[in-house]
Amino acid sequence: MDVIVARNRAELAEARRALGAHGGISGGTAELALVPTMGALHEGHRSLMRLAREQADHVAVSVFVNPLQFGPNEDFSRYPRTFDADLEVCAAEGVGLVFAPSADDMYLPDRQVGVSAGRMGTVAEGAFRPGHLDGVLTVVLKLFNLVRPDVAVFGRKDAQQLAMIRRMVADLDVPVAVVGGPTVREADGLALSSRNRYLSGDDRRAALSLSRALFAGAERRTPAEIRRAAREVLDGEPAVSLDYLILVDPATFEEVGDDHEGEAILAVAAKVGSTRLIDNVTVTL
Ligand code: AMP
């Protein structure tokens, strides 16, 4: 079946009708699953589309580079935009609907109200990208309201984003089931990212130290050992400019103490050349 492309909210309403998805549940299967993306689609996105297909009769993918979640000195204008290739990926994955609105269609010129990410939006990523998680939650809630999926699928690659979306859905009673998918990596461990295409050969070699650090940490047992093992790897790579290396509670993204038991997330963010990368693994303490 061909992919229906909706470039604005009127076309989206029409497309939903054409798909026959009215936001209900039939026969125990959700009717519509949404995979929100910023495009420049890769295997990581594809894995989420496959997960979405297992969850619902129809899959919608949104492609929207959301200006609200970029800071003034970030890469909004140079973020890769590869819409024709993205459509081919969606068609190959059996996606029924691609929603690709313009920023003008998404945001009213006099918009005032947005979602506040609260305290969790100010730690970890939020400490380095002020307002970023507010921007993410605002666009995700808008996409939910426009597309009206039963299920939405997000990658654990953006662990704090996923945790915040779960928090928003719980705190604001949003009627969407949130599903997380595992991080897809290159054979050598580098987490796939649309931003990897910015990396030069030398950058890419240096970027590998992020996943190597996480894997080294994940082999240790205590918070202190985990942090030390991971840091040692990063200290050995001068081309990596570290924003943070943290071991946090998955529900709050606050640093865990030495007595923490259960799951924790070892997360890293760093600049390699001019490209900022993030990655994380889950460890059990
Ligand atoms: P983005 O287009 O980067 O905003 O990402 C769209 C969705 O894909 C988010 O839910 C990301 O967490 C997810 N994603 C990005 N990279 C990966 C990856 N390597 N593996 C799995 N999911 C990913």
Side-chain angles (χ1 to χ4, degrees):
M1 208 180 72
D2 283 349
V3 186
I4 305 172
V5 179
R7 305 289 320 209
N8 55 51
R9 51 188 73 212
E11 290 179 13
L12 176 66
E14 183 58 34
R16 273 187 108 268
R17 274 193 293 277
L19 269 186
H22 300 290
I25 307 279
S26 66
T29 326
E31 286 194 359
L32 184 62
L34 172 67
V35 182
T37 81
M38 298 203 297
L41 301 178
H42 52 64
E43 263 316 306
H45 299 113
R46 291 179 90 125
S47 72
L48 301 185
M49 294 175 204
R50 284 178 215 136
L51 197 53
R53 288 194 65 187
E54 291 169 16
Q55 306 282 328
D57 297 340
H58 302 284
V59 175
V61 169
S62 58
V63 175
F64 181 60
V65 186
N66 173 31
L68 237 57
Q69 69 189 70
F70 287 79
N73 299 315
E74 296 183 356
D75 58 347
F76 174 71
S77 54
R78 71 165 190 143
Y79 195 84
R81 288 161 171 89
T82 60
F83 191 64
D84 293 343
D86 292 346
L87 270 188
E88 282 177 27
V89 168
C90 291
E93 294 298 341
V95 169
L97 165 63
V98 171
F99 179 45
S102 68
D104 287 346
D105 200 62
M106 281 299 273
Y107 296 113
L108 298 171
D110 60 346
R111 67 165 207 98
Q112 300 198 29
V113 175
V115 180
S116 163
R119 177 170 167 84
M120 213 208 299
T122 65
V123 298
E125 272 300 276
F128 286 85
R129 302 185 73 186
H132 167 68
L133 287 155
D134 292 359
V136 168
L137 295 184
T138 300
V139 81
V140 167
L141 187 59
K142 283 170 69 74
L143 289 168
F144 285 0
N145 288 335
L146 288 165
V147 179
R148 283 184 280 134
D150 306 292
V151 179
V153 182
F154 296 88
R156 292 205 280 271
K157 157 84 163 40
D158 297 273
Q160 189 176 6
Q161 167 177 294
L162 173 58
M164 289 251 48
I165 290 164
R166 290 191 193 284
R167 197 64 257 169
M168 173 176 77
V169 162
D171 285 346
L172 301 183
D173 299 299
V174 181
V176 176
V178 174
V179 173
T183 301
V184 177
R185 301 177 177 281
E186 304 274 11
D188 59 9
L190 183 70
L192 295 191
S193 162
S194 303
R195 292 186 168 99
N196 288 354
R197 69 189 70 201
Y198 303 147
L199 299 171
S200 70
D202 283 345
D203 289 346
R204 198 193 173 290
R205 267 187 295 283
L208 256 191
S209 62
L210 270 60
S211 54
R212 280 201 293 114
L214 298 179
F215 299 153
E219 284 179 2
R220 305 306 162 102
R221 293 275 67 85
T222 68
E225 284 172 12
I226 291 169
R227 291 187 174 106
R228 191 176 322 114
R231 168 138 337 239
E232 255 171 39
V233 175
L234 293 165
D235 284 348
E237 186 45 79
V240 167
S241 163
L242 192 63
D243 273 355
Y244 59 78
L245 171 69
I246 52 178
L247 182 66
V248 294
D249 186 313
T252 62
F253 272 75
E254 307 278 351
E255 292 271 8
V256 299
D258 284 337
D259 55 352
H260 182 84
E261 283 180 13
E263 290 198 335
I265 292 179
L266 181 61
V268 64
K271 271 205 156 160
V272 182
S274 58
T275 307
R276 188 172 182 279
L277 300 173
I278 62 171
D279 197 357
N280 70 88
V281 292
T282 300
V283 297
T284 305
L285 296 166

